[in-house]
Each structure stands twice: as structure tokens, then as C-alpha cells.
Amino acid sequence: MLTELFEKDKLRFLLFGGKGGVGKTSCAAATALWAAENGNETLVISTDPAHSLSDSFGEKIGDSIRKINGIKNLYGLEIDPKKAIREYSEKIKSTPELGLPIDIETDELEELTTLTPPGADEALAFAKVLEFIEKPEYDIIIFDTAPTGHTLRLLSLPDILNSWVGKLIKMRAWIQKMTAFFKRILGRGEEEDKTMEYLEKLKKTIEVARAELSNEEETRFIPVMIPEAMSIYETERLVRTLYEYEIPVTHIIVNMIHPEVPNCTFCAARRGMQIENLKIINEYYSDFSIVYIPLFPTEIRGIPKLKEFAKYLFEEEFTPKID
Ligand SMILES: Nc1ncnc2c1ncn2[C@@H]1O[C@H](COP(=O)(O)OP(=O)(O)O)[C@@H](O)[C@H]1O
Ligand SMILES: [Mg+2]
């Protein structure tokens, strides 16, 4: 059950991740709903370009924070990577010193001038995420992340961005020295440098975010999977990378477990396939808390369905029979 995570009052960030279609958004939305109904000021953020938080809640959310209708304490946000990229390019255009001939390694310069740290969309989603990590007004922030590959890149971004911002700071410092020199020669006064201040602040923020993401008291990444081979492989890869980045993982959700249906050979075959995979999952993740969710006869859309779904995450343990 995820309930035990909420018993520690320091929990602040829950991230759901996994392959497309396994139920990340449903888990994130249901968890957010439960958290809000249990008295937490809650923000649920989607960083998946294929947004479906709106679909899940049955109302338009969009790229600025919106209160979810009829639920106290619950807010949603869908970060739009394309829009963030546009905002970002505007910022770059207003940083003219990057055009200066500078005496640093060419590849370094290239890296700096293209100014698209690997995976611009993830970088921007992450930059946006940083804004929320600093927001003390929410008790719990829940992330509905993009499918595995994107998320893994997103997780490595604090390190990449930090070294990138670090280089930029060095470069600025050098430019400032030169500028100060010329100003002295030309007899002009010193001017304040806001860019430097901004970069230093950004570097701090990234460091704080990195620290928070790997803090066991505050953060959990919860992989969501289904009992199928492809999902097992992807989850293995995801969990390994989470370990590498020291992001705490203690719970795993196994979704869409087929019910027993009498007199249905098709259903029995699917169930049989799932049972074999469940055995593998149980063995592989024996050190984790595994939360199972049955396959519903309907989609998980709208508040009542999300509440029903949330029961399996927080109230009644569902244990599939596998032998
Ligand atoms: N346990 C379940 N039973 C039935 N349908 C489910 C279940 N979990 C998720 N779904 C449905 O499956 C689809 C994919 O789920 P979603 O949460 O959007 O996955 P993801 O965000 O990982 O792509 C959605 O239509 C959702 O309503
Ligand atoms: Mg989704």
C-alpha cells in the first residue's frame, strides 16, 4: 500500500513512471485525489507531452495551475514542453555575449552556444519542475512523468544542467573580468550583472532539486508496470537507473491484472501469461512493496472511477492468486 508513505510527514514528492499505457496517469491522478481528500494541499503535474491528466479528471487542466473542480486542496498542471521551448529560445536570443569570440575549447563552445542541453523538451520540463520544487504552499507534489526513456533523461538533467550552468558561470566570470578591464581603460563605472546572479541562483536551485530528489524522507519514485514481458524489461532498466541516480524506490505498482473469468479460454490464456510474469516480478522485486491493481471493466476516467482505483493503492490490498 502507498498509505505508509504518507505516514511520514516529510513526504513531498511522488513521481510515477513507466512504459506508455501502463497506468501512470491513472496512478498519479488517483494518488493526488486521495492525498487531497486526506488533508494535503496537493499539486499534480504532468510532464508527459501526451497529456492525459485532463482526460483522467474529466476536465481541462492546461499549462497554468488550476484547481480541480469539486475537490478541496487539489490542483493540477500540464507542462507544455513546446511552449517552454519557445519561452526558452526567447531567453537565449537575449543573451548576446554568447556570440563573442571566446578562448575556450571549440566543442565546449558549441555545447554552450547551441544551448540545448540534451533533450530540450525534458530540460524545459525539468526547468519548470524546479519552479515547483521551491513552492512551499503544497504539502505534496505528484509527478505524472513521460514514458521511461524520456524520464531517464529527465533524471540525469540536474547533473548535466549543473555542469552546463557551471561552465556558463565560468564564462561569464571571464567576460566580466574583461569588461571590467575595458571599463577601467575607458573610464566607465561598474554595472550590475543580473545574468550572473540569475545563473548562480539557477545553479543553487538545480543542486537543491537534485538533493531533494534523492532524499529518502521527501521523495519516492514509483514505477508502474503491467505483468507483460516488455514492461518487465523496461521497469528493470528504469529501476537500475533510479539506483544510479540515487532516487529512492521502495514501492512498485503492478496494474491491469486480469480477473478469473469462468468458461473463457481467451481470458484463461491471458491470465496464464500474466501469472507467469507475476511470478518473475514477485521474485525480482521481493525487497520492494508491490501494490497490485486489477483490470477494471471500464477506463479509469472521472472522479468516481479514480476513487475506486485509489482504493487499491491505499485501502484494500489486492493479492492475485498465482499458484
Ligand atoms: N486497472 C485498469 N483497468 C482498466 N483500465 C485501466 C486500468 N489502468 C489504466 N487503465 C486505462 O488504460 C489507459 C492507459 O492508462 P493511463 O493511466 O493513461 O496510462 P499511462 O499514463 O501510463 O499512459 C487509460 O485509458 C486508462 O483509463
Ligand atoms: Mg499518461
Side-chain angles (χ1 to χ4, degrees):
M1 297 284 98
L2 303 186
T3 329
E4 64 223 28
L5 293 175
F6 284 81
E7 281 157 13
K8 307 180 190 173
D9 45 337
K10 283 201 178 148
L11 181 76
R12 281 207 69 210
F13 307 107
L14 278 179
L15 299 89
F16 291 91
K19 217 168 119 55
V22 296
K24 297 178 293 296
T25 302
S26 306
C27 289
T31 301
L33 195 54
W34 186 88
E37 296 225 301
N38 282 271
N40 300 286
E41 201 69 19
T42 305
L43 175 65
V44 55
I45 304 179
S46 160
T47 57
D48 186 349
H51 291 304
S52 42
L53 268 183
S54 296
D55 282 342
S56 204
F57 284 109
E59 63 178 81
K60 183 89 193 87
I61 293 177
D63 63 3
S64 55
I65 296 183
R66 260 202 55 166
K67 178 155 175 348
I68 308 291
N69 271 329
I71 309 289
K72 219 178 139 209
N73 302 336
L74 183 56
Y75 299 81
L77 168 72
E78 292 176 322
I79 291 173
D80 175 354
K82 286 218 177 83
K83 190 175 169 208
I85 286 177
R86 277 200 304 278
E87 287 173 6
Y88 189 66
S89 331
E90 290 306 312
K91 259 200 196 132
I92 294 169
K93 278 186 206 136
S94 59
T95 316
E97 62 271 24
L98 291 168
L100 288 178
I102 297 159
D103 181 25
I104 59 172
E105 298 291 325
T106 346
D107 54 343
E108 237 179 5
L109 186 62
E110 214 160 81
E111 198 185 319
L112 290 170
T113 47
T114 52
L115 280 192
T116 37
D121 53 343
E122 295 104 5
L124 290 159
F126 184 76
K128 283 269 176 191
V129 164
L130 290 179
E131 288 174 24
F132 297 102
I133 281 185
E134 286 183 328
K135 286 199 185 218
E137 60 260 47
Y138 299 102
D139 301 317
I140 302 278
I141 302 181
I142 293 167
F143 293 100
D144 170 22
T145 72
T148 326
H150 285 263
T151 302
L152 298 184
R153 288 209 292 276
L154 186 69
L155 291 176
S156 63
L157 274 170
D159 299 337
I160 296 169
L161 278 180
N162 213 5
S163 85
W164 175 73
V165 172
K167 275 183 202 162
L168 218 50
I169 288 174
K170 266 196 228 152
M171 203 163 91
R172 286 287 315 189
W174 183 84
I175 293 168
Q176 263 185 333
K177 250 195 248 159
M178 294 307 285
T179 319
F181 174 73
F182 284 117
K183 274 180 189 157
R184 264 205 310 281
I185 293 179
L186 302 172
R188 297 222 193 107
E190 297 276 318
E191 279 163 34
E192 250 189 301
D193 189 346
K194 290 269 187 250
T195 317
M196 199 68 177
E197 217 171 273
Y198 169 79
L199 286 176
E200 294 281 4
K201 186 169 171 288
L202 181 62
K203 192 161 183 290
K204 264 248 151 56
T205 310
I206 295 170
E207 277 160 8
V208 169
R210 188 72 192 78
E212 300 216 24
L213 277 180
S214 49
N215 182 330
E216 276 219 38
E217 303 269 293
E218 295 185 25
T219 301
R220 280 295 183 285
F221 194 109
I222 305 179
V224 183
M225 67 191 299
I226 55 174
E228 289 183 19
M230 294 298 278
S231 180
I232 294 178
Y233 297 141
E234 279 220 27
T235 307
E236 200 186 321
R237 195 162 73 95
L238 173 64
V239 171
R240 225 182 304 127
T241 312
L242 291 169
Y243 266 79
E244 259 170 53
Y245 290 114
E246 298 174 335
I247 315 258
V249 194
T250 52
H251 292 65
I252 292 195
I253 295 172
V254 186
N255 189 16
M256 301 194 189
I257 294 168
H258 232 283
E260 268 178 287
V261 187
N263 307 320
C264 168
T265 43
F266 175 82
C267 311
R270 282 207 65 84
R271 216 181 124 73
M273 172 274 288
Q274 286 200 339
I275 285 173
E276 289 315 304
N277 288 320
L278 282 170
K279 285 180 186 163
I280 295 169
I281 294 167
N282 289 350
E283 197 181 309
Y284 198 84
Y285 296 108
S286 56
D287 293 339
F288 295 75
S289 298
I290 306 181
V291 181
Y292 304 94
I293 305 175
L295 178 68
F296 282 52
T298 58
E299 293 175 295
I300 317 300
R301 294 180 79 183
I303 308 278
K305 272 278 171 284
L306 285 171
K307 282 190 182 169
E308 210 183 305
F309 191 89
K311 265 193 204 154
Y312 293 100
L313 297 171
F314 295 98
E315 282 159 34
E316 28 179 288
E317 197 153 343
F318 167 73
T319 319
K321 270 195 255 139
I322 61 172
D323 32 42

